[in-house]
Amino acid sequence: MADVLVVQNSTSGGLGRMAGWLAEAGLTLDVVPAHAGAPLPGRLGHDAMIMLGGGYLPGDDERAPWLRDARRLMGQALAEGVPVFGICLGGQMLAQVAGGEVRGDVGAPENGSLPVTIRREAATDPLFHGLPPVVPAIEHHKDAVTRLPGGAVHLAETASCPYQAFRVGERAWGVQFHPEVLPARIREWRVEGFDPDEVYARAVADEPVSTPVWRTVTGRFAALVAAVAAARVAAGDGSPAEASGAA
């Protein structure tokens, strides 16, 4: 059974509905509440890594000192071909660690369920292929990726924030939106300039469309993780690193 390191960066920023989807696919989740002081491993020995969101920039070490270790683990995952899925802060961290650029408080903030356009580059992507041209996704950010790493594949965009989803290499994905969030979570967000009732109502209306899509994407990631882990076992190797080229 494949196991996944999940780095949690805020009290409310858990895996949400993705936890059930990943468990249904047979993955074991090792959730580390780093925001609460739980230590991250010195070395990534898991079959995959999921980096969740939080109210920080990827290099905000003074306020969130564990981010230094999170970046180190993500760098190891990229170097060794370990599957990665980064959400919001996690996606920004992936971009930064891989050589892209992230800026704070840039452009117009996005909150609530918004239409995300799937780009043509996604047609051959292992996770995003075959999705509808436009899919609603829940957003909650004012920081953003402003330059993708060299060689990254640009998968999705919105009018206000162009880098909504991208892939680095063959097994690392970053998204700016929140596929894990259900509309009820929006009730916890209070953002100046947005009507919370209106934002919530729109998310509820969009959920029947968005949920099947993000469940599909999550399932595809889980299948990829399981395949990499199975290849490692078949090769008789206990290290995800050396099995990364076998799947």
Side-chain angles (χ1 to χ4, degrees):
M1 181 178 291
D3 66 315
V4 183
L5 174 66
V6 181
V7 182
Q8 185 169 338
N9 299 291
S10 69
T11 301
S12 61
L15 257 181
R17 60 186 179 179
M18 283 181 69
W21 297 342
L22 293 167
E24 287 173 6
L27 302 188
T28 299
L29 305 177
D30 179 11
V31 180
V32 177
H35 66 284
L40 290 169
R43 179 169 177 78
L44 184 63
H46 299 71
D47 297 298
M49 177 179 180
I50 295 177
M51 181 75 179
L52 296 173
Y56 309 102
L57 286 166
D60 204 352
D61 296 351
E62 289 191 7
R63 293 198 300 146
W66 66 87
L67 292 177
R68 182 180 292 107
D69 286 335
R71 293 195 304 274
R72 173 179 51 77
L73 292 172
M74 187 167 285
Q76 179 197 336
L78 287 175
E80 298 177 352
V82 178
V84 171
F85 198 93
I87 296 171
C88 198
L89 164 62
Q92 295 167 7
M93 181 179 291
L94 173 61
Q96 182 171 299
V97 169
E101 180 182 79
V102 178
R103 289 176 55 194
D105 202 9
V106 60
E110 293 183 311
N111 284 283
S113 183
L114 300 175
V116 173
T117 298
I118 307 300
R119 292 169 55 90
R120 63 180 182 178
E121 292 91 333
T124 57
D125 183 77
L127 303 193
F128 283 75
H129 69 272
L131 300 188
V134 179
V135 184
I138 291 179
E139 307 271 1
H140 184 51
H141 72 101
K142 60 180 181 178
D143 307 331
V145 175
T146 53
R147 179 173 56 81
L148 289 179
V153 181
H154 189 184
L155 301 172
E157 62 192 355
T158 63
S160 297
C161 181
Y163 302 123
Q164 287 289 336
F166 61 95
R167 189 184 77 247
V168 175
E170 297 302 318
R171 296 179 180 151
W173 287 265
V175 298
Q176 182 59 68
F177 52 86
H178 288 273
E180 84 282 14
V181 168
L182 284 165
R185 172 89 173 276
I186 293 174
R187 291 294 197 188
E188 303 173 17
W189 298 340
R190 291 295 179 264
V191 183
E192 186 176 349
F194 292 86
D195 180 334
D197 292 330
E198 181 181 331
V199 170
Y200 172 74
R202 180 171 180 176
V204 169
D206 286 345
E207 185 185 351
V209 176
S210 64
T211 296
V213 172
W214 303 129
R215 181 170 189 154
T216 293
V217 169
T218 301
R220 289 171 175 172
F221 179 74
L224 181 143
V225 172
V228 172
R232 172 176 58 82
V233 172
D237 179 21
S239 165
E242 294 186 18
S244 63

